[in-house]
Amino acid sequence: MRIRTIAVVILGSLMLSSCSAGNMGEPTPTPTVQVSLPNTGESLARLGFTNEAASMIWIPDHVTLTYTADQGNLLIVTGIISEAKDIEAYLRGTLPGLGWEITSESSGALMFSNEVWHGAYVEGDQSWALTVRND
């Protein structure tokens, strides 16, 4: 009888500890972002950028770039003003499918981010600029 009581106590303790331990320290599941590559255009990575974010930023085909910077924590791309509206429309249409959230927008400007990177697009008087950084 004594062995049976000890066995029940041990078994009960194991069951209680496994139930309470099952919820401790488990990470909360996070939603997986479904990435959808655009049908047209090309990624900055395909244009030769090596920054981690370059594969997540796409621009239309045949865009005239006037300045670029490719650093570990920063991408900068600028182009001619006559293409600014096309770039803006393309970014509005493709960023969400590439895993970005557009966080602010107005005519001629966008701000966007994902879990690591923050970006902005702006149309100026003589050119447009796109920046992405991870700080």
Side-chain angles (χ1 to χ4, degrees):
M1 179 74 161
R2 183 178 169 124
I3 293 177
R4 187 175 197 186
T5 304
I6 292 172
V8 168
V9 169
I10 291 173
L11 183 60
S13 296
L14 288 173
M15 288 174 56
L16 287 175
S17 65
S18 67
C19 289
S20 63
N23 293 330
M24 293 180 60
E26 286 185 16
T28 304
T30 56
T32 303
V33 175
Q34 294 295 326
V35 174
S36 173
L37 298 180
N39 293 328
T40 62
E42 55 194 340
S43 70
L44 293 181
R46 187 166 182 187
L47 293 174
F49 287 76
T50 59
N51 180 298
E52 176 186 334
S55 63
M56 299 180 283
I57 297 290
W58 285 53
I59 58 176
D61 292 318
H62 311 295
V63 171
T64 304
L65 300 181
T66 57
Y67 176 81
T68 63
D70 184 12
Q71 301 173 356
N73 67 334
L74 174 70
L75 288 174
I76 301 173
V77 187
T78 67
I80 59 176
I81 193 65
S82 62
E83 298 172 342
K85 296 294 183 201
D86 292 338
I87 298 291
E88 181 180 352
Y90 185 86
L91 291 171
R92 284 182 197 279
T94 61
L95 286 171
L98 291 166
W100 298 94
E101 176 186 357
I102 296 176
T103 57
S104 183
E105 59 186 305
S106 66
S107 179
L110 293 171
M111 293 180 72
F112 51 94
S113 66
N114 65 20
E115 293 179 6
V116 177
W117 297 90
H118 305 279
Y121 164 85
V122 66
E123 176 185 331
D125 291 337
Q126 298 178 14
S127 63
W128 59 266
L130 172 69
T131 63
V132 182
R133 58 184 167 48
N134 71 352
D135 56 3

